[in-house]
Every structure is written in structure tokens, then in C-alpha cells.
Amino acid sequence: MIGFHLDMSEDSAPDSVASAYMMILETLMLFTIIRILWHHSDKALFSNRLFIKDGPLTFRSQYSKLVPKIRRFFEYTKLRNRPIHIIGQEKTGRFFDHLTSIAKYISPIQIDDMPSLAVLSHDYVRSEVLRTNLPTPYGKRTNWGEKVYAKLDPGSSLVLNIPTGEGEYIDDPNYPLVDDLLGLDRIMATLPSLLSRKFEGALFPVELANGVASMSSYPSAKVLERFLENN
């Protein structure tokens, strides 16, 4: 159903299959925790948690068939008055490069300045970030989160993806607005406590997860280290 086979030939599979498999697996693991907390006897647990995905809230090509189902689930949580708080963080790519190019002009400039936030409309993404005329509305088939720029202090700028809670894509060039994003106030109140100073714009949960998954955490890394020393 997911469609990995569509990226494969009879004799080989491109590297994109491994990337797609990792992306799908990360999302399924995330939604496993979401499902468990949704059915927990303590109903407050679900909406009192911030779920974080390392990377954009996006599925492309044949994998985008999952996007409408995810959007409808978010709408369902909102209708049941148990909204989900979830973000994706992009640390590379066009949005990250664009934010880096303008971050020095955005408040806070000084330590005591207030944090700032910008919710990117579909029209802004097309004209200022992608700089292209897309034949279809931006993110209609692929995105289950909208793009947000946040600058929390002079050295911490983040590219975030946050869902809206709408079951269907809103085909409006000025969409979304601040009020359209699920739990934005609570998310922004939580993020300063999660900032890591080890890397610019790093969040502790993502940094710790990447540390656990690093090759240096496994015994085989010692073998590689000795091989490099001997050569």
C-alpha cells in the first residue's frame, strides 16, 4: 500500500528507497506513541505532550497518499477537543537557507528582545522561498504541516512545520494565519525550555535522539576507529 516497490526495478533499487523507508518508519514510530497516548486512561496526557519529528511534515510522490489520512486525524483530535501538539524541524534545505539569509535582520537582535514568529503563507513560500510559479497549489498533496519561522533569541532560529487541524487542504494563497495552527501558543511557550546550546537552533530531544542513533554509540564504531588509526 505504501508503494516502496514503485521506486525499484527488477535488478536494483536506488538510494531513494532507503531514504523513503527511513522517513516512513520514523513517522510510523511517532504515530505509535500518539496512538498509545490517545487511548490512555488519562485523557490529559495526549494534549499535554509535544511530539517532535526531525525533518519536515511532508510525504512526496506515491507516499503522499498518507497525507489526507493524517490531516483527517488532526481534524478529528480538534473536533474531540483533544488537540495534538506536534512540530517538525528542518535543519537543512531551502527554507533553512532562506531563514539563515534573513535571520540577522529579525528580532530578537539583543538578548532582552522578545522572540518573533512568522507563519509563511502559501503565496510567500512560492514568491520568496521557492521563487517559482508552481502548477498546483503549494503543498496540496504533500504537506501535513505548514511552514513557520521562529527566532527565540539572537542565536536561535528555527524552521518549524506545524499542522492546522484542517481535514482538507485550504486552497488560499494567504493561508495559513497564526490562529490556524494547532496549539501554536503552547508550542511557542515550550520551545525555549528545549533549546540546546551545543548547536545553533538545536532542540534537546532531537539532539539526544541523534546521539543515540549515531554510529559512535555502537561497538562497531570501535572497529572502524581502529581501522582508521591503522591506515
Side-chain angles (χ1 to χ4, degrees), residues 7-9 11-17:
D7 279 336
M8 304 177 188
S9 66
D11 302 320
S12 64
D15 294 340
S16 60
V17 176

Side-chain angles (χ1 to χ4, degrees), residues 139-150:
K140 181 175 182 178
R141 288 174 46 83
T142 59
N143 292 357
W144 47 283
E146 300 290 348
K147 307 296 184 181
V148 178
Y149 287 167

